[in-house]
Amino acid sequence: MNETIQKIFNQIKSIFGKLNKKQKIIAGGVLALFVIILLFAVSTSSQRSMVYLFKRPLTVSDYAKITKKLQEYGSKFTTKDDRFVLVRDEKLGATLRMRLGQDSLLPTGIKGWELFDTEKWTTTDFERNVMKRRAIIGAMIRHLRMLEDIEDVKLTVSMPESSLYISKTQPWKASVTIIKKPFSDIYKNKKKIKGIISLVANGIDRLLAENIVVTDNTGTIISDFSDDQKTNYLKRAKAENKITEELRIKMEYQLRKQLKQVLGDDRFDLTVRMELDFDQKMVSKDEIIPIVMLKDDPETPYYDGKVVLRSTTSMKTVKENFKGPTYIPEGPAGTQNNIPPGLKSKINRFSHYNKNEKIVNTKHSTQKTKVKKAPVVVKKISVSAWLDGTWKKLYDKDGNLRITQQGSILRKYTPVKAESIKKIEDIIKGAIAYDAGKGFQVVVKHLPFDRTKQFEIEDDEIRSKERIRKTLIAAVAALFILFMGTLMYRVISKEIARRKRIREEELALQQQRMREQALRAAEDEGVEVELSLEEKARMEMQENAINMARERPEDVAQVLRTWMVEE
């Protein structure tokens, strides 16, 4: 790359060197102009485009207040037509709008009920209705813009005219489009959306909350709460299932803990099913309760109290005893008595009668109570438990396990007794507070467990132990035989070496004797015999040994004893 650039530079230099002075000046001017244009283009493209601080034109008062405040902030901005304010980028614009909102300097520019401050005498009813609609919408928009989470809002209200017939009257409807402020969570916060709907519904007559739709600036509906009901229902269902499962696991754990102390770890299994009632109820009771006249003595084994259902509140006794003439109906004075024919014979007779009347008023002892049931009530409990018997290994007379031809251990099964099953059932009923009236169920059955794999593992362990035992015995026997063989080998080897050494010594002694005889014979004949170096050394060693034996017999004896011990 450097060589290529160098070649191009050399070519340009050679071409430029061939030009005359005038041509060089023209070429230099063109090059300088090109550089200036390039720098201007780069500087122009590097400048960022300005953005509007507010997209709508400002009033004179809002323009003056906002520009003054921006100068206090020290922010750079430009103006356009004395109605628009432009800043460097949208990020800066969001920051400035947030600060202006904190200082309550956001532009209003929307008229409300002040539209009616000045009214012309030529205003028609139609214009008044339009002004009323504008006033309602403008007042509500200004109200919504006062909320700290909303930067801008657009409100449209549909106001159909009233009809004489209720069935034909159309409801008012409204659509609200909001633009949130930076870092606001209004789009996701359902409570704030519900607050805006309530605010609009209560601020505009004939507008119901269900006829208001709230959207964001992308057109997404954020006032749809249909999923919330499903979510709440699912949350409640999950919470109820969680509580039911926790109580069920707790009860099952307690039952297992109790049965484990009686049967052990692996001789039973159980399942617990529980139904709970989460409906909260208010129950009113009006009960007639017995009246205790005499309390029961707890020291006696029988009930000696006195109870009545009614008590006397008042009593009235009437007694009458009459004796006198019979009453005959008579007419007014001075007239003839109009006496019936049947009574004339009884005028001079006497009558007698007795009247006893007793009125007793009694009253029941009543009790009125209002009971609010707990939100969680046990409705039904079902417990199923199955028990396994015991397996016992069989042994022969010598105390060894009895093994089948297949290599399995013989076992005997003992089922669970009916008495034990009944006791376990009573234990479970007591633990769950058994109530037959509520439909509680407890089922305990004897059912042998499948222990095939367990027995196979035990048989494999026993067979493995037996194989290990036989292997150890064989290894010990082999080591003993090897030890004895090694010992015998060493003894035999020493014996062979001893015999070989004795034989060699005898041969050497015979050879020595033969040489000595030959030397003596040569000396007797007067022949000089020259000895070899080995013979001379051997003769010298023998003479030294003989001399040492004469001079130090004890050391020689100790050496001989050492040799004998080694052999």
Side-chain angles (χ1 to χ4, degrees), residues 149-156 174-181 184-190 193 196-197 212-224:
D149 290 302
I150 296 177
E151 179 178 339
D152 197 2
V153 64
K154 181 175 180 59
L155 175 63
T156 303
S175 63
V176 183
T177 303
I178 59 177
I179 299 176
K180 71 180 185 69
K181 288 185 178 180
S184 175
D185 63 341
I186 191 171
Y187 289 168
K188 298 180 180 179
N189 195 328
K190 299 297 182 182
I193 301 300
I196 292 175
I197 294 174
I212 300 174
V213 177
V214 181
T215 64
D216 59 6
N217 55 344
T218 62
T220 304
I221 298 176
I222 58 178
S223 61
D224 186 7

Side-chain angles (χ1 to χ4, degrees), residues 400-425:
N400 298 322
L401 290 172
R402 295 177 61 182
I403 308 298
T404 62
Q405 294 180 357
Q406 291 79 16
S408 300
I409 302 171
L410 287 175
R411 296 176 176 85
K412 181 181 178 181
Y413 180 75
T414 303
V416 182
K417 297 181 180 180
E419 298 177 357
S420 300
I421 294 176
K422 180 62 174 143
K423 292 179 180 179
I424 296 299
E425 184 177 349

Side-chain angles (χ1 to χ4, degrees), residues 78-352:
T78 58
T79 60
K80 182 180 179 182
D81 299 335
D82 292 335
R83 300 190 68 186
F84 294 92
V85 177
L86 293 88
V87 294
R88 184 177 67 252
D89 52 19
E90 183 60 32
K91 185 177 181 181
L92 178 60
T95 303
L96 293 176
R97 284 191 292 270
M98 182 175 64
R99 295 184 65 181
L100 291 172
Q102 292 174 352
D103 294 335
S104 300
L105 289 177
L106 289 178
T108 55
I110 296 176
K111 294 183 179 181
W113 295 106
E114 59 268 18
L115 291 171
F116 293 91
D117 292 342
T118 57
E119 184 177 1
K120 298 179 181 180
W121 63 273
T122 57
T123 304
T124 63
D125 292 339
F126 176 78
E127 291 176 342
R128 288 190 183 94
N129 291 331
V130 173
M131 292 171 62
K132 178 182 178 182
R133 178 179 297 188
R134 288 181 59 193
I136 292 173
I137 295 175
M140 185 55 61
I141 289 176
R142 286 194 297 183
H143 199 168
L144 292 175
R145 284 179 177 173
M146 292 174 61
L147 301 178
E148 62 179 7
D149 290 302
I150 296 177
E151 179 178 339
D152 197 2
V153 64
K154 181 175 180 59
L155 175 63
T156 303
V157 181
S158 173
M159 303 177 181
E161 294 182 359
S162 301
S163 175
L164 295 176
Y165 302 98
I166 299 176
S167 60
K168 294 183 179 180
T169 301
Q170 299 294 326
W172 287 21
K173 298 181 181 180
S175 63
V176 183
T177 303
I178 59 177
I179 299 176
K180 71 180 185 69
K181 288 185 178 180
F183 312 109
S184 175
D185 63 341
I186 191 171
Y187 289 168
K188 298 180 180 179
N189 195 328
K190 299 297 182 182
K191 291 183 178 180
K192 294 181 179 180
I193 301 300
K194 290 180 179 179
I196 292 175
I197 294 174
S198 300
L199 189 66
V200 175
N202 293 321
I204 301 177
D205 295 338
R206 295 180 57 188
L207 183 61
L208 301 178
E210 56 266 21
N211 295 328
I212 300 174
V213 177
V214 181
T215 64
D216 59 6
N217 55 344
T218 62
T220 304
I221 298 176
I222 58 178
S223 61
D224 186 7
F225 306 113
S226 59
D227 293 337
D228 294 347
Q229 297 179 356
K230 298 179 181 179
T231 303
N232 294 333
Y233 176 77
L234 293 175
K235 287 182 179 179
R236 180 181 176 182
K238 289 180 180 180
E240 291 179 358
N241 291 334
K242 183 179 179 181
I243 293 172
T244 303
E245 187 64 15
E246 288 178 353
L247 294 177
R248 187 195 69 81
I249 292 174
K250 183 178 180 180
M251 179 172 289
E252 183 175 340
Y253 171 76
Q254 294 295 336
L255 291 175
R256 288 184 180 276
K257 184 178 179 181
Q258 293 179 0
L259 294 180
K260 181 179 178 181
Q261 297 176 357
V262 179
L263 300 173
D265 294 335
D266 58 346
R267 285 192 54 213
F268 74 94
D269 202 353
L270 60 88
T271 58
V272 177
R273 184 175 176 270
M274 181 180 294
E275 295 182 10
L276 300 180
D277 186 5
F278 292 91
D279 297 333
Q280 194 169 6
K281 301 176 182 178
M282 178 69 75
V283 180
S284 298
K285 295 182 180 180
D286 192 356
E287 300 175 321
I288 298 176
I289 60 175
I291 302 172
V292 179
M293 305 299 294
L294 180 63
K295 292 185 178 180
D296 179 36
D297 187 2
E299 300 295 333
T300 59
Y302 55 88
Y303 183 79
D304 56 357
K306 185 178 179 181
V307 178
V308 296
L309 295 178
R310 303 173 67 90
S311 63
T312 301
T313 57
S314 62
M315 182 184 296
K316 180 181 180 182
T317 304
V318 179
K319 291 184 180 182
E320 292 184 2
N321 188 2
F322 177 79
K323 187 177 181 181
T326 305
Y327 172 74
I328 302 297
E330 297 180 357
T335 61
Q336 187 179 1
N337 292 332
N338 188 13
I339 301 173
L343 296 177
K344 289 181 178 181
S345 60
K346 299 181 180 181
I347 292 176
N348 297 323
R349 293 184 181 182
F350 291 90
S351 63
H352 178 268

